[in-house]
Amino acid sequence: MKDLLLITPPFTQLNTPYPGTAYLKGFLNTKGISSFQMDLGMDVIQAIFSKKGLEELFLFAEQNKTIRSENAGRIFALKEVYILSIDAVILFLQGKNATLARKICADNFLPKAARFEQLDDLDYAFGNMGMQDRAKHLATLYLEDLSDFIIECVDANFGFSRYAESLGKSANSFDALYEKLSIPLTYIDLISIKLLAYQMKTIQPKMVGLSIPFPGNLYSAFRCGQFIKDHYPQVKIVMGGGFPNTELRSVSDPRVFDFVDFICLDDGEKPIEILLKLIEKDQWLFDLNTKLKRTFFRSGETVLYKNDSNEPDYKQHELGTPDYSDLNLDKYISVIEIANPMHSLWSDGRWNKLTMAHGCYWGKCTFCDISLDYIKIYEPLTAGILVDRMEQLIKETGESGFHFVDEAAPPSLMRALALEIIKRKLSLTWWTNIRFEKSFSLDLCLLLAASGCIAVSGGLEVASDRLLKLIDKGVTVEQVAMVTRNFTEAGIMVHAYLMYGYPTQTIQETIDSLEMVRQLFEEGVLRSGFWHQFALTAHSPIGLAPEEFQIISQQNKITFANNDIAFTDPTGVDHSQFSFGLKKSLFNFMHGIGFDFPLQEWFEFKIPRPTIGPDYIASCLEKENHKAPKDTAKVVWIGSAPIVTEKVIRKKKKSFPRVLLTFHTPTAIVDLTLTKDHADWLLHTLEEMKASSRPLSYIAFKSSFEEACGNFDKFFNLAMKEELNACGLLIL
């Protein structure tokens, strides 16, 4: 028996667990509260995509006579090939059957249906893929063919990373979801409930926690609650996670609580701890004076919200290390949907998820839900605690890859984290989300890369300085270009989130934004991106005060979910018409082609010519910043000790003793010939910096030289700075 069963309902990701339950389990461990977690979505995927699962799937489709399209007919005709190959393919995608790659890449192993038709047109995009990655991509197409078959012939709501998502997206009323929950279980539901029933019988929890990160988990969560209510009425059910935190802050329909007992908002640790204490005392909400933390519940036919507990929330350093036990990490599968190294980070490989800081240190973007606690309350961890947790997770999971899931990782903390990783001599890999702010100098990017940072993603959004200012993004396009160049030169991949349709955005601004993006890709400072159409959300500054942004919102009556709001933009522009052209052009740019096409090529309707000069980004990138560092800047040495050779230079019959310092970097050999006093000072200073593992201030670095050798500026000129920078001397 456990105190709590934590469930992530179908479906989120195939390659790695969504971290909500792992974060909560890690906290519960610090309180001695027993728990068990399950990724029900992955359990369902494992059940379906197996030999037995496909046999039952094809039989269901045959008996129900649902096979109608030519594509579904082909897949069914090849059912024996699918059944024979599925277990081997899943093992390969789990990283357990690497030699199968050769067989997958052969033409006669995988059955091929409609998803493979794109290969002939896209061979240019996959030419540089290694055999393992190409095999993963082909195996992904194979699974997507089966997914198409399931959607057409078995369950129209199926999706690898969502289930019945449309029922949860901006469902202002509970009616459609309630109606769906009133009909018999679907094929996918039956598999889910069978797996849930086993765990309920095995774990015998006192309470069940349903973690709902996305709309695509909501329907299945209510199905889980429905089953538990019917068969385990004494077990209390609490719902939390990203979806309730964002969308269920105004819930008032009492029918919702036919399926769950409580909905907790924002950070869940304290609210759940309070509820668990009530379980121990058998003191449920008979008494409305019971004090709760950010919790909805039903009393009679009325939905009540209580946030009257005076117990404070826990600080980030008190929450413990996320605990991924119970999740059987070796069952997750890595897929490659498109041949893009940045996109593959989301779907290929298993990442330990951590957060550097709660909330967002910027917290001003007008399109973002900055009024909500998960963004509004900013609380960073220390680098020491972060790396302690990283080491603990490496030990527990055997994985040394980390995805920091921050809203925007703070540059100062990223710097401290990198220094701590290097100090502890750890070999690991990490990536995160950032703001493209000027703090990311080339030297800082080089430091991050040396610590294992391989990629960053950040919001370029509208790629228009007028709109960036309106959004209060705090960056300019020129600044973004220079920062992305710094990351790229340091060997760190860059992904940009792109937006179109922001209120008052004109057609000309949309085309100019596309031209900016084209140039960024052409210059090689972006590796990937994603366009999405602006959505007005209820908890953003623009959603809270739409009139200030010259739009008219069209809000429905809210009894259930409240997030996306329909609105009218006075420009009258139909922004959706640009969707296909923007995404098609971006796909080509990501694969290094189409830069010389006129932008009109991507659209089937007339568009204006860009007003941005064709070399705007190139001119931004040519600008150099040679300003002297601030006295408070930190000087860091991350290189290796040089080989020292004494030599004599003869000029005009005079001899000049010199010291040759040969620095070996992973990619080059750098020779510096210095006078003996300069060489002695440099060797001593580098050794001192390495031994103490502490950065020097720039003023201390400069003063040290001047005390020993004299004129610092003459010695540390631009050429010397660049040489030492190449060897591993960074100024941050």
Side-chain angles (χ1 to χ4, degrees):
M1 177 180 287
K2 300 283 187 182
D3 293 317
L4 185 60
L5 172 61
L6 299 167
I7 302 171
T8 304
F11 293 105
T12 49
Q13 288 177 265
L14 294 175
N15 64 309
T16 197
Y18 193 80
T21 61
Y23 275 48
L24 192 52
K25 184 177 176 69
F27 162 74
L28 295 171
N29 292 343
T30 70
K31 297 298 175 182
I33 298 171
S34 62
S35 64
F36 185 91
Q37 62 184 324
M38 63 183 300
D39 183 345
L40 184 55
M42 180 48 59
D43 293 339
V44 172
I45 292 294
Q46 291 288 302
I48 294 173
F49 293 92
S50 65
K51 182 178 180 181
K52 183 175 183 293
L54 289 190
E55 287 173 344
E56 294 173 351
L57 190 86
F58 286 124
L59 181 61
F60 177 90
E62 182 179 28
Q63 290 177 342
N64 287 273
K65 297 181 171 57
T66 54
I67 304 167
R68 297 185 178 90
S69 72
E70 181 179 347
N71 187 55
R74 172 172 172 74
I75 292 171
F76 184 78
L78 291 167
K79 65 178 181 178
E80 295 301 331
V81 185
Y82 282 102
I83 290 167
L84 182 63
S85 57
I86 187 64
D87 286 344
V89 171
I90 293 296
L91 280 173
F92 168 73
L93 293 175
Q94 289 172 335
K96 302 172 186 175
N97 193 13
T99 56
L100 191 70
R102 295 180 180 278
K103 201 170 182 180
I104 289 175
C105 290
D107 288 336
N108 59 352
F109 176 63
L110 292 181
K112 298 174 177 63
R115 293 285 181 153
F116 284 81
E117 292 173 3
Q118 60 183 293
L119 276 181
D120 291 339
D121 297 328
L122 300 181
D123 271 346
Y124 64 83
F126 308 117
N128 295 325
M129 295 179 78
M131 180 175 290
Q132 291 290 321
D133 281 353
R134 185 172 179 84
K136 280 185 184 179
H137 178 67
L138 295 173
T140 302
L141 297 178
Y142 162 94
L143 292 182
E144 288 176 338
D145 274 335
L146 286 171
S147 174
D148 292 342
F149 183 86
I150 293 170
I151 292 168
E152 179 181 336
C153 305
V154 178
D155 192 330
N157 290 312
F158 178 76
F160 281 120
S161 58
R162 62 191 62 85
Y163 186 73
E165 182 180 49
S166 61
L167 292 171
K169 291 183 75 171
S170 298
N172 299 150
S173 166
F174 192 56
D175 289 347
L177 195 52
Y178 188 77
E179 182 180 349
K180 181 73 173 177
L181 292 165
S182 301
I183 64 176
L185 299 176
T186 68
Y187 186 91
I188 303 297
D189 290 338
L190 289 168
I191 296 174
S192 300
I193 296 305
K194 182 179 178 181
L195 293 165
L196 173 61
Y198 173 80
Q199 291 293 10
M200 287 295 297
K201 183 178 180 180
T202 303
I203 304 302
Q204 299 181 45
K206 298 175 184 177
M207 187 163 80
V208 170
L210 297 169
S211 177
I212 320 299
F214 307 116
N217 304 95
L218 187 66
Y219 165 78
S220 290
F222 280 117
R223 279 299 195 194
C224 291
Q226 187 178 52
F227 169 80
I228 295 167
K229 286 286 186 185
D230 289 344
H231 296 85
Y232 297 89
Q234 77 284 3
V235 175
K236 299 299 179 182
I237 306 168
V238 57
M239 176 186 286
F243 181 86
N245 291 348
T246 304
E247 307 222 14
L248 299 186
R249 306 186 79 89
S250 306
V251 62
S252 61
D253 192 324
R255 296 176 298 175
V256 173
F257 296 89
D258 292 343
F259 305 91
V260 298
D261 295 290
F262 307 101
I263 296 175
C264 293
L265 300 181
D266 303 322
D267 294 346
E269 291 83 8
K270 180 57 73 174
I272 283 182
E273 184 184 25
I274 291 172
L275 292 175
L276 285 168
K277 286 178 181 176
L278 293 175
I279 288 183
E280 294 298 326
K281 297 177 182 178
D282 287 330
Q283 180 191 343
W284 286 102
L285 299 176
F286 314 125
D287 182 358
L288 293 182
N289 293 321
T290 301
K291 295 186 183 301
L292 298 175
K293 197 84 168 175
R294 297 187 300 272
T295 301
F296 284 102
F297 62 96
R298 181 172 64 187
S299 178
E301 288 303 308
T302 303
V303 177
L304 300 177
Y305 177 72
K306 295 201 73 179
N307 186 26
D308 53 359
S309 171
N310 57 11
E311 295 187 39
D313 282 299
Y314 289 97
K315 298 296 183 182
Q316 294 302 298
H317 69 270
E318 300 175 301
L319 299 183
T321 302
D323 182 349
Y324 287 91
S325 62
D326 312 326
L327 292 176
N328 297 326
L329 299 177
D330 61 349
K331 69 186 178 184
Y332 288 86
I333 61 178
S334 292
V335 296
I336 296 180
E337 298 173 54
I338 65 172
N340 178 282
M342 189 73 198
H343 276 231
S344 71
L345 292 178
W346 278 274
S347 59
D348 182 19
R350 213 204 63 72
W351 301 96
N352 296 316
K353 308 270 187 175
L354 281 174
T355 308
M356 293 188 204
H358 182 286
C360 178
Y361 71 94
W362 179 249
K364 296 180 183 179
C365 298
T366 56
F367 63 84
C368 188
D369 293 338
I370 60 175
S371 67
L372 301 183
D373 284 357
Y374 81 96
I375 293 177
K376 180 174 64 176
I377 299 175
Y378 175 66
E379 184 190 346
L381 283 169
T382 66
I385 290 175
L386 279 169
V387 182
D388 285 346
R389 291 180 178 178
M390 294 171 82
E391 290 192 288
Q392 185 175 336
L393 282 171
I394 292 171
K395 190 177 297 183
E396 290 179 0
T397 67
E399 300 282 353
S400 59
F402 292 86
H403 177 198
F404 289 97
V405 292
D406 293 65
E407 298 299 317
S412 59
L413 183 50
M414 291 173 70
R415 181 183 72 179
L417 174 71
L419 289 170
E420 188 69 17
I421 291 170
I422 292 169
K423 175 183 174 182
R424 299 194 195 186
K425 298 181 179 179
L426 300 177
S427 178
L428 46 80
T429 304
W430 62 276
W431 58 293
T432 191
N433 192 53
I434 63 159
R435 289 181 63 247
F436 292 119
E437 61 167 82
K438 59 185 178 183
S439 301
F440 290 109
S441 64
L442 176 58
D443 280 16
L444 176 54
C445 294
L446 289 168
L447 176 73
L448 299 177
S451 73
C453 180
I454 59 167
V456 293
S457 56
L460 172 54
E461 316 306 353
V462 288
S464 158
D465 285 337
R466 180 188 80 83
L467 292 169
L468 284 170
K469 186 175 181 180
L470 190 61
I471 285 172
D472 203 0
K473 190 71 182 176
V475 300
T476 64
V477 175
E478 178 179 308
Q479 183 177 314
V480 171
M482 298 176 76
V483 169
T484 55
R485 176 199 62 191
N486 292 342
F487 277 111
T488 299
E489 288 186 6
I492 296 173
M493 293 187 292
V494 183
H495 171 89
Y497 297 108
L498 304 164
M499 181 192 298
Y500 62 100
Y502 190 83
T504 74
Q505 184 171 11
T506 65
I507 292 176
Q508 185 66 63
E509 285 175 319
T510 299
I511 300 307
D512 286 349
S513 292
L514 174 57
E515 174 61 16
M516 292 283 202
V517 170
R518 184 195 70 78
Q519 292 183 32
L520 286 165
F521 275 98
E522 186 174 31
E523 293 297 325
V525 296
L526 280 186
R527 290 291 297 275
S528 71
F530 181 78
W531 285 104
H532 67 277
Q533 187 168 350
F534 168 79
L536 177 61
T537 58
H539 311 293
S540 64
I542 192 169
L544 293 170
E547 66 283 353
E548 295 181 12
F549 295 84
Q550 303 176 43
I551 62 172
I552 302 169
S553 62
Q554 301 163 8
Q555 183 67 282
N556 298 323
K557 181 181 178 182
I558 305 299
T559 58
F560 185 54
N562 181 28
N563 193 31
D564 289 2
I565 302 173
F567 68 95
T568 301
D569 187 333
T571 62
V573 176
D574 176 14
H575 295 288
S576 62
Q577 67 181 322
F578 295 99
S579 177
F580 180 78
L582 291 173
K583 293 175 181 177
K584 181 181 179 182
S585 62
L586 184 63
F587 181 85
N588 282 270
F589 298 160
M590 285 193 294
H591 292 108
I593 58 175
F595 297 129
D596 55 346
F597 291 3
L599 297 188
Q600 180 65 63
E601 185 79 17
W602 308 114
F603 300 93
E604 296 180 351
F605 53 91
K606 186 69 175 175
I607 62 167
R609 292 177 179 273
T611 62
I612 305 299
D615 59 351
Y616 177 80
I617 296 298
S619 64
C620 292
L621 297 177
E622 288 172 1
K623 295 179 181 179
E624 297 289 346
N625 180 10
H626 295 315
K627 289 192 298 185
K630 294 180 180 179
D631 287 349
T632 53
K634 303 301 181 185
V635 183
V636 176
W637 174 250
I638 61 171
S640 302
I643 298 170
V644 181
T645 307
E646 293 188 5
K647 63 185 220 176
V648 176
I649 296 177
R650 290 180 172 81
K651 288 186 178 180
K652 296 182 179 180
K653 299 182 181 181
K654 290 185 179 181
S655 298
F656 299 91
R658 292 291 185 265
V659 177
L660 174 65
L661 303 182
T662 302
F663 293 87
H664 287 265
T665 75
T667 57
I669 300 173
V670 180
D671 287 330
L672 291 181
T673 301
L674 303 175
T675 62
K676 188 173 189 312
D677 57 341
H678 288 180
D680 288 345
W681 172 83
L682 184 59
L683 290 168
H684 172 76
T685 303
L686 297 183
E687 185 61 32
E688 190 178 62
M689 292 168 66
K690 183 178 180 181
S692 67
S693 299
R694 290 181 182 176
L696 283 175
S697 68
Y698 183 72
I699 189 63
F701 182 72
K702 179 178 180 180
S703 298
S704 170
F705 181 90
E706 289 176 340
E707 288 174 10
C709 305
N711 191 324
F712 176 79
D713 293 332
K714 185 176 180 180
F715 166 76
F716 202 65
N717 55 32
L718 180 59
M720 179 59 71
K721 181 183 180 301
E722 290 178 348
E723 293 274 26
L724 287 173
N725 185 251
C727 300
L729 187 77
L730 307 177
I731 301 176
L732 309 171

